[in-house]
């Protein structure tokens, strides 16, 4: 069933447009604006250009989704297959199915919202032209990663996002931005070198780099030893990008230093590239190798779940001087641990849970980073002790809509039933209860129990954050002095009685509501109607795990 019947040639054009348009838009952003489009402010003109290009890509992605045949989500659609490097057998092969379509839509949505947000709130740094060009190159590389069906093209797209993200952190970031950017690029590049060796091994041993043909073959053309080596090499590169414990240490620094939109894109779409690679490449192409490493992958995943939660609890405690952005970054380590656990089960239930958790994490954590960025803009800090200091952030009283939305995002992140975060974690744990044939049930049920314990820890630190930031810790105004943790001088604005003893803050602005409302709405929609996602992913996952057979 298609909502609107669109011809295959138009579908091909739409997918190619989605991948190429941001790249062309990045080039155009660096060129002088045509006379009729310059406006009164050249900086605003290029920011408007970013909103226009990302908006066009989002509209094209929506039309592509409308024309997608939802009765056959396991079939590759909108495919383009053109020979590119005949000597190596490399082809420009594009296509989407029920696995890649949601990620394509998520990327297009988040990038558009980031461009819209930046139009009104551009991070401090060099030329807006360079900023918009980098965001568009980043979008093109991410979209290409989810659309290409050739191993070498996948690698090129996978690498294409590294340089833009490096410069977004290094040039538009906050404190310690250069060190964080270097750490990000070194970790990811080293992982990518190892991954390239694994991809070449698969291509040379099987005689093709075509991901559809390799998935259909289901590893029958590769010996077990080749599969094991390939999974180890490719898995390391993907695990760095995911990020999997203990290869995660670049992530908190990168998030803490990155500008708000950089953090949203890093958490919302870049981390998904790693887990997508596990599902699209390793599960169908090297199943024997995956079966060998699945228990270890699951073990690292649950350690990451508990480690990320304990790190968040440590940052959230009183007196720890924990940075709120850093806390959300560590929470991503735990959430992506659930995704990896679902993949490691090698079952349709677990993999569907992993894909659902991927989308939920992009929506919820993207919203959280937007909100933390807004809080930092208003207070000048994201330090939890300062926010919950003598006057208390008290967002419920000072900026009630902002406080309510932060509380909503926090309970969505902890997996409250009825919101998007719940289904991915639940399906992942169900998958771990009954893993694929050949995997140890006692081991995976132990992993399930540890993962379930991690959900309790997640609830604990998220509720602590809500209590400290939204409710604050009230101290009578008479006890305050210029040296109090609030950091306010003696002539600071006096608290207003209406706000419970704290001065009012600007609540959610119009542009913020425009950028954040879609994320909140889709978080509710996916939570109340999970079939909207599972109906796409389940048939494609069933076919993928069955070796290309529906």
């Amino acid at each position: 069933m298609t909502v609107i019947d669109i011809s295959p040639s138009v579908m091909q054009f739409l997918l190619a447009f989605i991948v190429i348009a941001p790249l062309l838009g990045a080039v155009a952003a660096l060129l002088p604006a045509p006379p009729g489009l310059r406006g009164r402010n050249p900086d605003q003109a290029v920011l408007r250009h970013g909103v226009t290009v990302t908006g066009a890509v989002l509209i094209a992605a929506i039309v592509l989704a409308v024309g997608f045949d939802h009765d056959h989500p396991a079939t590759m659609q909108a495919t383009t297959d053109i020979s590119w490097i005949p000597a190596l057998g490399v082809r420009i092969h594009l296509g989407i199915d029920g696995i890649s379509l949601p990620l394509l839509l998520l990327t297009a949505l988040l990038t558009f919202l980031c461009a819209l947000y930046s139009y009104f709130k551009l991070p401090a740094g060099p030329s807006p032209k360079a900023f918009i060009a980098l965001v568009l190159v980043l979008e093109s590389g991410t979209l290409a990663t989810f659309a290409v069906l050739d191993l070498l093209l996948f690698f090129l797209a996978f690498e294409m996002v590294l340089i833009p993200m490096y410069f977004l952190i290094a040039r538009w970031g906050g404190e310690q931005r250069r060190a964080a950017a270097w750490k990000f690029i070194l970790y990811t590049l080293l992982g990518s070198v190892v991954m390239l060796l694994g991809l070449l091994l698969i291509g040379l041993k099987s005689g093709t780099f075509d991901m559809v043909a390799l998935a259909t073959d289901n590893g029958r053309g590769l010996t077990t030893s080749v599969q094991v080596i390939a999974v180890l090499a490719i898995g390391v590169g993907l695990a760095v990008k995911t990020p999997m414990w203990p290869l995660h240490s670049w992530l908190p620094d990168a998030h803490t230093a990155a500008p708000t939109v950089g953090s949203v894109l890093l958490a919302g779409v870049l981390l998904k590239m790693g887990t997508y690679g596990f599902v699209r490449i390793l599960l169908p192409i090297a199943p024997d190798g995956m079966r060998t490493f699945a228990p270890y992958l699951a073990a690292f995943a649950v350690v990451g779940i508990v480690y990320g939660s304990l790190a968040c609890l440590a940052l959230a405690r009183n007196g720890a001087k924990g940075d709120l952005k850093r806390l959300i970054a560590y929470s991503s380590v735990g959430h992506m641990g659930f995704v990896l656990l679902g993949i490691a089960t090698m079952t349709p239930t677990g993999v569907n849970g992993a894909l659902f958790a991927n989308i939920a994490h992009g929506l919820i954590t993207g919203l959280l980073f937007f909100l933390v960025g807004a809080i930092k803009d208003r207070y000048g800090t994201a330090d939890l002790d300062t926010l919950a200091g003598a006057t208390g952030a008290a967002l419920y009283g000072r900026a009630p809509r902002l406080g309510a939305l932060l509380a909503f995002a926090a309970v969505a992140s902890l997996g409250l039933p009825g919101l998007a975060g719940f289904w991915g974690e639940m399906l992942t744990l169900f998958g771990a209860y009954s893993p694929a044939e050949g995997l140890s049930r006692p081991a995976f049920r132990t992993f399930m129990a540890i993962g379930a314990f991690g959900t309790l820890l997640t609830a604990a630190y998220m509720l602590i954050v809500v209590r400290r930031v939204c409710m604050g810790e009230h101290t009578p105004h008479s006890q305050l002095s210029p040296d109090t943790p609030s950091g306010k001088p003696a002539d600071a604005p006096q608290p207003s009685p209406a706000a419970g003893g704290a001065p009012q803050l600007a609540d959610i602005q119009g542009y913020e509501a425009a950028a954040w409302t879609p994320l909140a709405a889709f978080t509710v929609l996916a939570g109340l109607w999970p079939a909207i996602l599972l109906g796409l992913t389940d048939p494609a996952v069933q076919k993928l795990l069955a070796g290309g057979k529906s």
Side-chain angles (χ1 to χ4, degrees):
M1 179 194 71
T2 56
V3 180
I4 298 178
D5 191 16
I6 301 176
S7 69
S9 58
V10 174
M11 293 285 283
Q12 286 178 338
F13 170 77
L14 285 171
L15 184 57
F17 174 82
I18 287 167
V19 173
I20 297 171
L23 207 54
L24 298 177
V27 175
L30 298 174
L31 300 175
L37 299 177
R38 287 176 187 166
R40 287 177 293 180
N41 186 333
D43 289 350
Q44 288 299 100
V46 75
L47 293 172
R48 187 167 58 248
H49 169 79
V51 175
T52 303
V53 174
T54 56
V57 171
L58 176 59
I59 291 170
I62 293 171
V63 175
L64 188 71
V66 168
F68 187 82
D69 185 355
H70 292 261
D71 284 339
H72 301 92
T75 303
M76 283 295 170
Q77 302 178 34
T79 54
T80 300
D81 192 1
I82 304 169
S83 179
W84 184 36
I85 308 175
L88 296 176
V90 179
R91 307 182 68 82
I92 297 177
H93 192 182
L94 305 176
I96 54 165
D97 63 358
I99 293 171
S100 50
L101 180 61
L103 290 166
L104 210 70
L105 288 167
L106 176 68
T107 302
L109 174 66
L110 281 176
T111 313
F112 170 70
L113 296 180
C114 285
L116 181 65
Y117 186 82
S118 300
Y119 181 81
F120 296 95
K121 190 73 178 178
L122 183 69
S127 163
K129 283 190 170 189
F131 177 83
I132 291 299
L134 290 169
V135 169
L136 291 173
V137 172
L138 186 71
E139 179 182 32
S140 181
T142 310
L143 291 168
T145 301
F146 300 136
V148 298
L149 297 171
D150 183 277
L151 289 179
L152 290 186
L153 276 185
F154 175 86
F155 176 78
L156 292 176
F158 198 85
E159 296 304 289
M160 185 175 166
V161 304
L162 300 185
I163 300 303
M165 183 53 71
Y166 167 81
F167 281 110
L168 285 175
I169 296 171
R171 302 301 298 276
W172 284 270
E175 296 179 8
Q176 305 295 321
R177 60 182 182 270
R178 294 191 183 278
W182 273 110
K183 196 170 186 180
F184 163 77
I185 200 75
L186 287 175
Y187 264 79
T188 50
L189 278 179
L190 287 173
S192 297
V193 169
V194 181
M195 184 175 75
L196 177 60
L197 296 176
L199 295 173
L200 290 173
L201 177 64
I202 287 177
L204 295 174
K205 289 293 185 180
S206 62
T208 181
F209 289 101
D210 186 271
M211 291 158 67
V212 176
L214 288 165
T216 304
D217 190 60
N218 202 221
R220 286 182 285 271
L222 300 171
T223 64
T224 301
S225 58
V226 168
Q227 290 189 38
V228 168
I229 296 170
V231 169
L232 181 61
I234 298 170
V236 167
L238 297 174
V240 170
K241 186 66 73 71
T242 298
M244 180 185 78
W245 180 91
L247 304 174
H248 69 284
S249 60
W250 61 270
L251 183 72
D253 292 339
H255 271 308
T256 305
T260 297
V261 294
S263 292
V264 171
L265 292 174
L266 181 58
V269 295
L270 261 69
L271 302 189
K272 313 300 174 282
M273 295 164 65
T275 51
Y276 175 77
F278 275 104
V279 174
R280 177 67 73 199
I281 298 174
L282 295 185
L283 277 177
I285 295 175
D288 293 338
M290 270 298 291
R291 200 168 286 108
T292 300
F293 284 107
Y296 305 102
L297 179 63
F300 283 127
V302 296
V303 170
I305 292 169
V306 175
Y307 170 83
S309 299
L310 291 176
C312 290
L313 281 170
L315 289 169
R317 77 178 190 275
N318 193 25
K321 304 297 290 182
D323 186 282
L324 192 51
K325 284 189 75 176
R326 196 174 187 85
L327 185 147
I328 303 301
Y330 272 112
S331 78
S332 290
V333 176
H335 288 305
M336 298 312 288
F338 279 102
V339 177
L340 290 172
L341 177 60
I343 294 169
T345 67
M346 299 184 69
T347 62
T349 303
V351 176
N352 276 306
L355 293 171
F356 200 104
N358 248 350
I359 301 298
H361 178 264
L363 295 170
I364 297 167
T365 308
L367 178 58
L368 278 169
F369 275 117
F370 268 134
L371 292 168
V372 173
I375 291 170
K376 189 171 183 178
D377 289 338
R378 285 158 170 78
Y379 283 94
T381 181
D383 179 82
L384 268 169
D385 285 341
T386 303
L387 292 174
T391 59
L395 286 181
Y396 288 154
R398 305 180 71 184
R401 293 181 184 87
L402 184 60
L405 194 55
L406 178 63
F408 166 82
V411 296
S413 183
L414 63 83
L416 184 74
L419 299 176
F422 170 73
W423 296 105
E425 294 180 1
M426 186 193 72
L427 290 172
T428 292
L429 296 176
F430 278 174
Y433 182 80
S434 184
E437 187 179 349
L439 299 179
S440 169
R441 285 201 173 195
F444 271 83
R445 288 179 180 178
T446 302
F447 298 146
M448 180 197 73
I450 297 172
F453 176 66
T455 62
L456 300 178
L457 296 178
T458 303
Y461 70 74
M462 277 300 178
L463 293 176
I464 290 172
V465 167
V466 170
R467 178 179 62 82
R468 300 192 71 196
V469 177
C470 294
M471 301 177 187
E473 296 180 358
H474 180 69
T475 299
H477 180 64
S478 59
Q479 295 181 18
L480 298 180
S481 71
D483 298 323
T484 57
S486 68
K488 294 184 179 180
D491 60 349
Q494 295 301 306
S496 63
Q504 292 288 355
L505 287 178
D507 211 335
I508 295 177
Q509 306 295 299
Y511 71 92
E512 293 173 330
W516 304 344
T517 302
L519 299 179
F522 284 121
T523 298
V524 175
L525 179 64
L528 295 178
W529 190 19
I532 198 171
L533 270 177
L534 295 175
L536 284 172
T537 61
D538 185 51
V541 168
Q542 297 274 5
K543 182 177 179 179
L544 209 66
L545 294 177
K549 303 182 185 70
S550 298

